[in-house]
Amino acid sequence: MFKHILVPTDGSDLSEKAVKHGVALAKTLGATITALTVSRPFHVMTLEPGMLADTPQAYARHVADRTKKYLDHVSQAAKDAGVACETIALEHEHPYQGIIDTVQDKGCDLIVMASHGRRGMSALVLGSETVKVLTHGKVPVLVCR
Amino acid sequence: MFRKFLVPVDGSAHANRAVDCATDLANKYGAELILLHVIASPGPARIPPELYEYARIEHIDAIETDMMNRVAEEILQTAEKRARGQGAKQVRTSIGVGHPAEAIVAHAKSEEADLIIMGRRGLGPVNGLLMGSVSHKVAHLSECACMTIV
């Protein structure tokens, strides 16, 4: 069955839920977890408030802080459940590609992710990264709600 | 965490893999498996499910309806045998009629299933090239968790 579960997180409430699901599933199946956050590289021309307000150095520092917070949260949850957990922070222009690349690099056999991330607007349709992972991914995906 | 799995099947290899995976998970969780086959109502002139039932009872256009039902039963029996062969304890089968994605989502809701496990591509032709349109729609519309098997 599933031996190695990838749990991408962006720190949103829904992805917290996916983390819980992923950890519980890993515990039941005796699988290990790889937690992943993918951040976007700094751009000068952008509409993202975080990048507009920051210098590249400040942006990098903020990203590092956030990433650490999200990943620490997952490893703590995994530790509490007694599940082996590895954490990875990636920088990639397209988060879904970062997720798919990590699946391949680490040999994960299941992705557990939220139906929406931080940009989620509606409860009706899936988030854009989730759709892309579903469409382009080569392993099973469990979408949590 | 999981009590009831809904597994839509259409006899395709992807659906079979979904059955295998669902059985394995169900055994681990002691969950119940509901195998569902949806008979797609034909084309743009959609026949409402009630009329389908009426046709079945009154033997109107019995040939097509009966054939579809026979196929559905055959697919479900095969899937059930497959699941039981791998040690599934609680298995139920169910036939739905209508638009596949909508019927699957509605079934999951009425059965209060907490996970839908389905193949990413079924028997659908070209529109399944990237991702089966049915699994795509179900992933979008379902109110419970949804697992797509590759």
Side-chain angles (χ1 to χ4, degrees), chain A residues 1-2 20-21 24-25 28-29 110 123-126 131 133-145, chain B residues 1-2 20-22 24-25 28-29 115 120 130-131 136 138-150:
Chain A
M1 186 96 241
F2 304 122
K20 263 189 222 146
H21 268 285
L25 194 64
T28 311
L29 302 180
L110 174 71
L124 211 62
V125 288
L126 294 178
V131 168
V133 169
L134 275 175
T135 309
H136 300 290
K138 303 241 180 335
V139 296
V141 182
L142 172 60
V143 179
C144 301
R145 280 177 198 265
Chain B
M1 183 161 76
F2 295 120
D20 295 348
C21 176
D24 213 347
L25 272 180
K28 290 234 164 61
Y29 280 100
L115 179 62
R120 194 163 69 164
L130 268 183
M131 183 171 156
H136 208 133
V138 170
H140 274 282
L141 295 174
S142 86
E143 285 168 24
C144 61
C146 181
M147 188 187 272
T148 51
I149 304 298
V150 180

Side-chain angles (χ1 to χ4, degrees), chain B residues 27-39:
Chain B
N27 289 346
K28 290 234 164 61
Y29 280 100
E32 182 184 9
L33 276 186
I34 302 167
L35 304 169
L36 171 72
H37 178 76
V38 180
I39 300 172

Side-chain angles (χ1 to χ4, degrees), chain B residues 16-145:
Chain B
N16 284 343
R17 278 202 287 280
V19 171
D20 295 348
C21 176
T23 306
D24 213 347
L25 272 180
N27 289 346
K28 290 234 164 61
Y29 280 100
E32 182 184 9
L33 276 186
I34 302 167
L35 304 169
L36 171 72
H37 178 76
V38 180
I39 300 172
S41 46
R46 284 242 214 102
I47 304 167
E50 296 84 350
L51 212 63
Y52 242 97
E53 195 59 18
Y54 176 72
R56 195 180 64 79
I57 293 165
E58 293 291 338
H59 295 288
I60 303 167
D61 195 17
I63 296 168
E64 193 213 5
T65 325
D66 280 357
M67 260 164 44
M68 297 295 263
N69 274 323
R70 279 293 302 276
V71 170
E73 276 159 22
E74 183 65 35
I75 287 172
L76 285 172
Q77 271 170 23
T78 313
E80 185 175 356
K81 222 179 274 170
R82 195 180 172 96
R84 291 210 188 271
Q86 290 169 39
K89 298 268 178 319
Q90 309 170 63
V91 189
R92 266 195 292 142
T93 62
S94 183
I95 297 179
V97 178
H99 186 282
E102 284 163 19
I104 290 166
V105 171
H107 212 80
K109 202 173 167 184
S110 67
E111 288 280 4
E112 293 178 343
D114 38 25
L115 179 62
I116 301 174
I117 303 181
M118 61 191 303
R120 194 163 69 164
R121 278 182 66 185
L123 290 171
V126 188
N127 57 9
L129 270 181
L130 268 183
M131 183 171 156
S133 55
V134 173
S135 67
H136 208 133
K137 276 181 205 142
V138 170
H140 274 282
L141 295 174
S142 86
E143 285 168 24
C144 61

Side-chain angles (χ1 to χ4, degrees), chain A residues 45-64:
Chain A
M45 307 295 270
T46 179
L47 287 173
E48 277 194 27
M51 291 187 203
L52 273 178
D54 285 349
T55 61
Q57 291 78 20
Y59 176 75
R61 206 169 54 238
H62 285 154
V63 166

Side-chain angles (χ1 to χ4, degrees), chain A residues 23-76:
Chain A
V23 170
L25 194 64
K27 194 179 178 188
T28 311
L29 302 180
T32 59
I33 278 191
T34 296
L36 170 75
T37 58
V38 185
S39 54
R40 316 227 355 252
F42 187 84
H43 291 294
V44 178
M45 307 295 270
T46 179
L47 287 173
E48 277 194 27
M51 291 187 203
L52 273 178
D54 285 349
T55 61
Q57 291 78 20
Y59 176 75
R61 206 169 54 238
H62 285 154
V63 166
D65 287 351
R66 266 207 314 260
T67 306
K68 187 173 171 335
K69 200 174 102 200
Y70 302 157
L71 292 178
D72 281 354
H73 180 81
V74 184
S75 40
Q76 189 58 46

